[in-house]
Amino acid sequence: MADKLLHQIDSVLIVDDSPIQRSFAAELCQELGIELIYQANNGVEALALLDLLKMKPTIMMIDLEMPAMDGIELIQQLQELNYQIPLVIASSREESLISSVTSMTAALGQTLLGGLKKPLHLNQLVQILNRLEQPNHARPKDKLSPLVEQLTEQDLLLAISNREVVPYFQPKVDINTGMLKGVEALARWIHPELGIIPPDFFIPMAEQSDQIIRLLTLAIAEQSIAQCAIWNERSLQISCAINLSPRLLSSLSFFQEIAKLPPLHHVPNQQIIWEVTESSVVNNLGAALGTLARLRLKGFGLSIDDYGTGFSSMQQLARIPFTELKIDQSFVNGAHERNNLAIILQSAIEMANRLGMSTVAEGIETLEDWRLLQRFGCNIGQGYFIGRPMPAKDLFNWLKTHNQRLAEIKK
């Protein structure tokens, strides 16, 4: 067998109302070396079995159409009962329905390995189950420690002042050649006692205050641009993308503050890309459009971030001089096995190419999705398949390792 599991899976619970389908799925699991296989006819039986088992199954494989309790209700009940068991959805229904249920599962915070259309194939099942090894797939989120939850806006202000909030850099590489083209700067709070504070905790806190988000954005921008100057001196001239909060777009004084940073560090404006989420210019439209137009006039790049997640994408593209379209990871991850995602992804890339914009796909986690993006003509890729966000000092070490795998990912 060419494909194999990356690590041992102890047990599986197969929930399917068809004895033939259950038996076939069980045979595939046995072939993969999974010894303990539980079976249930529907959601009600599955929940009753879970209640009895002291050791819960490592994974659950769930059909959608079942009597008594269908797969959708079962997944909802698993969330209600706080079962955090990695799920595989397997159904003979249309891909759009399977895709909808996988999106629901992820939105509920359940651990989702993926969705498969029946009949099941061994190689596809292996690829799905091996996602247990991949770091970006949904696992139960660690609860924040009480000490972290007690941190306040004043603590964040002090951290920014003390330079405890620093940029980490995630590589962006050419899809065809794999060569490093740029980085995205991502804010990280390195607390001297509590370690790394999750950005999901402190970014929303910063967004509540104009003062804090202004200081945070300026701090990350200044440190990132200063780092670009260091890389330039070492003959590594790459672009740097910096996230721009929508709360700051209407401020003339803020525009003046960020516009003076690159000349201060002798970094060309063209090397800096400001990333703006597609819904962020709705408020204060006139002022926001003015700020973005002036940034472009100064030679900065403008990227529309998380493309596809809002409702005004086309309108934004028509009225803002974006140079880069960044496709949200929800349209990238798993696109090689979900036809509806692949169609949306390809159309976005083709549209951007026609508009003369560079395309960036974020959230790339597998070689299969990478190959799909190559076929579709995407320009730049970003994601854990390429590299995680890292401190600036680690970029050259990453580059050495990355260069060794270029043969694998080049066209």
Side-chain angles (χ1 to χ4, degrees):
M1 184 178 67
D3 289 321
K4 62 182 181 179
L5 295 180
L6 296 177
H7 71 299
Q8 180 62 40
I9 294 175
D10 297 323
S11 57
V12 59
L13 169 55
I14 301 170
V15 189
D16 195 316
D17 66 320
S18 166
I20 295 175
Q21 297 283 3
R22 286 202 311 271
S23 176
F24 181 63
E27 288 176 8
L28 293 181
C29 290
Q30 287 174 337
E31 191 170 345
L32 293 174
I34 303 174
E35 297 181 356
L36 196 53
I37 300 174
Y38 303 104
Q39 298 186 33
N41 187 55
N42 55 54
V44 174
E45 288 186 11
L47 292 177
L49 182 58
L50 288 173
D51 190 48
L52 292 172
L53 292 173
K54 290 184 178 180
M55 295 293 293
K56 308 307 178 194
T58 308
I59 59 168
M60 288 180 65
M61 192 179 303
I62 300 175
D63 186 23
L64 294 184
E65 287 187 289
M66 297 180 290
M69 182 186 291
D70 60 40
I72 297 172
E73 186 180 355
L74 172 57
I75 294 167
Q76 292 169 334
Q77 287 295 315
L78 290 172
Q79 192 265 341
E80 286 287 329
L81 296 169
N82 202 29
Y83 282 114
Q84 288 291 343
I85 302 170
L87 305 178
V88 176
I89 296 167
S91 175
S92 58
R93 290 298 300 266
E94 62 270 25
E95 288 185 355
S96 60
L97 178 58
I98 297 172
S99 175
S100 179
V101 177
T102 59
S103 297
M104 177 206 76
T105 306
L108 288 174
Q110 291 295 95
T111 305
L112 176 68
L113 299 181
L116 291 173
K117 185 171 173 60
K118 294 178 181 177
L120 299 178
H121 298 284
L122 188 63
N123 288 349
Q124 287 181 315
L125 185 59
V126 168
Q127 290 178 9
I128 289 285
L129 296 184
N130 278 340
R131 292 179 180 176
L132 279 168
E133 288 284 314
Q134 294 181 4
N136 200 34
H137 279 276
R139 295 180 178 272
K141 289 186 178 179
D142 295 331
K143 282 190 173 181
L144 293 174
S145 75
L147 290 175
V148 171
E149 290 182 332
Q150 291 173 16
L151 292 171
T152 66
E153 291 183 1
Q154 290 303 313
D155 294 316
L156 179 54
L157 275 171
L158 185 61
I160 295 170
S161 176
N162 292 338
R163 292 225 165 189
E164 293 171 13
V165 182
V166 300
Y168 272 36
F169 299 96
Q170 186 169 30
K172 299 166 64 177
V173 303
D174 185 285
I175 286 284
N176 290 328
T177 66
M179 300 298 291
L180 179 65
K181 291 296 184 180
V183 292
E184 179 183 358
L186 299 163
R188 295 293 184 266
W189 181 356
I190 316 297
H191 194 281
E193 297 173 359
L194 302 177
I196 297 181
I197 308 299
D200 288 349
F201 173 77
F202 74 87
I203 297 295
M205 180 191 295
E207 288 280 3
Q208 297 302 312
S209 164
D210 286 345
Q211 179 195 14
I212 297 178
I213 195 61
R214 183 189 193 98
L215 292 174
L216 175 63
T217 304
L218 284 172
I220 294 300
E222 193 279 329
Q223 293 178 70
S224 300
I225 293 169
Q227 183 60 54
C228 282
I230 295 171
W231 285 329
N232 287 347
E233 290 177 358
R234 299 184 63 180
S235 299
L236 182 63
Q237 293 188 327
I238 55 176
S239 67
C240 181
I242 304 169
N243 290 283
L244 188 56
S245 170
R247 296 178 67 100
L248 304 171
L249 287 175
S250 59
S251 171
L252 177 60
S253 61
F254 180 77
F255 162 76
Q256 293 170 339
E257 287 178 291
I258 59 174
K260 70 183 182 183
L261 288 175
L264 188 65
H265 294 280
H266 307 290
V267 172
N269 288 354
Q270 290 78 5
Q271 204 169 337
I272 306 302
I273 300 170
W274 298 104
E275 287 196 4
V276 184
T277 55
E278 69 169 58
S279 59
S280 65
V281 296
V282 174
N283 296 325
N284 267 319
L285 179 61
L289 289 176
T291 296
L292 293 169
R294 293 186 74 193
L295 286 171
R296 187 70 195 108
L297 198 61
K298 291 281 188 181
F300 293 104
L302 291 180
S303 176
I304 183 167
D305 194 13
D306 297 335
Y307 180 80
T309 60
F311 300 98
S312 56
S313 306
M314 299 296 182
Q315 189 179 35
Q316 303 289 44
L317 289 175
R319 66 189 179 189
I320 298 172
F322 287 111
T323 58
E324 179 181 278
L325 184 143
K326 196 167 189 184
I327 304 168
D328 186 72
Q329 62 183 350
S330 61
F331 296 99
V332 174
N333 188 265
H336 72 279
E337 58 189 9
R338 294 167 64 182
N339 187 55
N340 57 334
L341 285 189
I343 292 171
I344 295 170
L345 181 61
Q346 185 175 24
S347 65
I349 292 169
E350 289 177 351
M351 178 189 63
N353 288 339
R354 284 176 143 187
L355 291 171
M357 299 169 64
S358 175
T359 49
V360 178
E362 60 180 346
I364 303 174
E365 295 187 6
T366 66
L367 180 60
E368 291 80 9
D369 285 333
W370 176 274
R371 292 289 184 227
L372 185 69
L373 290 162
Q374 285 180 327
R375 292 200 300 274
F376 287 170
C378 186
N379 303 121
I380 304 292
Q382 179 180 350
Y384 282 5
F385 176 72
I386 300 153
R388 290 169 168 267
M390 65 192 76
K393 63 181 179 62
D394 293 345
L395 187 65
F396 278 99
N397 286 334
W398 168 86
L399 192 54
K400 289 178 184 177
T401 303
H402 177 72
N403 286 341
Q404 293 171 3
R405 57 189 293 250
L406 285 183
E408 173 197 3
I409 63 178
K410 276 201 252 183
K411 262 190 171 180

